[in-house]
C-alpha cells in the first residue's frame, strides 16, 4: 500500500472521530522547553472535547512520575490485534521553543490481545534533548479493556526519553501486549 492510502485511511478515521491535523514549520537543533500541566490540560480539552473527563487525572499522574514534558503530540491512530497486532498514527509534535512538526508512528505488538480501535491521541514527551531525538523506537507494555469506547494511558521508554500516550477512542479491545512505537518524519506501512 502507498503512503497516500495510509494517509487516507488514518484521515478517514480521524474524520469519523472529528480530528484534523496540520503541520507548521519547525526547528531541529533547539532543546524543547517544558510545558506546564495547565497548558497541557487546556490543549487536551480542546483536542479531546467531551470525552476528556480523565485527561486531567492522566496528566497529573504522568506529571507526578516524570515531571513536566518538554513536548507533546496531538494526533489520531488506528490499531488492531489478534495475538499479533499493529498500530499506525499521525499527528503534530508541539514544542514551546523548537517549533512544531508533523510526525508519524507505527509499531507491532504481541500478546494476549484481540480487537480493533481508532483513537484520538495525546502523547506527552519527557526528556527530549532535540526534536530529532524523538525519531526512534519506544517500547512498553499496553493493556486494553473496552467495548464501544475507552480512555487510558500507558508509558513507552527509549533511553532517557519517555513517551506517555493518552488515548480516547472507539472500538472493542481486550488484552495485554508488549510492543513498540517507531516515530518517523514520513509515513510508512512497515511497522518494524
Amino acid at each position: 500500500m502507498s503512503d497516500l492510502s495510509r494517509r487516507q485511511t488514518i484521515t478517514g478515521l480521524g474524520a469519523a472521530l472529528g480530528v484534523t491535523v496540520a503541520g507548521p514549520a519547525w526547528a531541529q537543533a533547539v532543546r524543547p522547553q517544558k510545558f506546564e500541566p495547565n497548558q497541557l490540560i487546556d490543549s487536551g480539552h480542546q483536542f479531546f472535547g467531551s470525552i476528556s473527563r480523565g485527561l486531567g487525572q492522566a496528566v497529573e499522574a504522568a506529571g507526578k512520575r516524570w515531571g513536566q514534558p518538554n513536548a507533546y503530540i496531538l494526533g489520531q491512530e488506528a490499531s488492531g490485534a489478534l495475538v499479533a497486532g499493529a498500530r499506525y498514527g499521525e499527528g503534530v509534535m508541539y514544542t514551546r521553543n523548537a517549533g512544531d512538526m508533523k510526525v508519524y508512528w507505527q509499531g507491532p505488538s504481541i500478546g494476549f490481545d484481540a480487537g480493533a480501535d481508532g483513537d484520538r491521541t495525546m502523547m506527552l514527551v519527557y526528556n527530549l534533548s532535540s526534536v530529532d531525538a524523538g525519531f526512534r523506537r519506544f517500547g512498553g507494555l499496553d493493556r486494553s479493556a473496552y467495548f464501544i469506547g475507552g480512555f487510558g494511558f500507558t508509558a513507552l521508554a527509549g533511553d532517557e526519553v519517555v513517551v506517555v500516550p493518552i488515548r480516547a477512542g472507539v472500538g472493542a479491545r481486550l488484552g495485554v501486549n508488549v510492543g513498540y512505537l517507531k516515530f518517523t518524519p514520513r509515513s510508512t506501512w512497515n511497522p518494524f
Side-chain angles (χ1 to χ4, degrees):
M1 293 188 161
S2 70
D3 289 342
L4 182 58
S5 63
R6 175 183 172 182
R7 178 161 180 75
Q8 289 172 333
T9 302
I10 292 174
T11 302
L13 176 62
L17 296 173
V19 177
T20 58
V21 179
W26 58 282
Q28 294 180 10
V30 179
R31 180 179 181 90
Q33 294 176 348
K34 295 180 178 180
F35 285 95
E36 296 293 324
N38 62 336
Q39 292 172 307
L40 297 169
I41 292 169
D42 290 345
S43 183
H45 281 308
Q46 291 173 3
F47 182 68
F48 285 113
S50 62
I51 55 177
S52 64
R53 292 186 344 199
L55 178 65
Q57 294 172 337
V59 169
E60 184 178 310
K64 285 181 182 177
R65 175 127 188 204
W66 294 286
Q68 295 176 317
N70 55 353
Y72 69 94
I73 299 167
L74 295 178
Q76 55 201 12
E77 63 182 23
S79 68
L82 184 58
V83 180
R87 182 175 302 274
Y88 295 93
E90 66 177 74
V92 175
M93 182 185 332
Y94 297 93
T95 65
R96 291 186 69 168
N97 62 326
D100 305 334
M101 68 174 298
K102 185 84 167 175
V103 295
Y104 300 87
W105 59 92
Q106 52 279 325
S109 65
I110 189 163
F112 300 102
D113 191 17
D117 59 286
D119 302 303
R120 289 183 182 185
T121 304
M122 177 183 211
M123 296 186 190
L124 307 178
V125 184
Y126 297 88
N127 306 319
L128 190 64
S129 60
S130 71
V131 174
D132 284 340
F135 294 120
R136 52 170 300 150
R137 289 179 177 88
F138 297 92
L141 178 72
D142 188 27
R143 297 174 300 206
S144 301
Y146 58 90
F147 180 69
I148 307 299
F151 182 88
F153 75 100
T154 188
L156 307 169
D159 291 330
E160 299 282 322
V161 181
V162 176
V163 177
V164 179
I166 302 170
R167 297 181 173 110
V170 296
R173 193 80 180 252
L174 178 62
V176 175
N177 67 57
V178 63
Y180 65 81
L181 289 181
K182 176 179 68 172
F183 289 84
T184 58
R186 291 176 201 73
S187 66
T188 177
W189 280 105
N190 181 0
F192 303 103

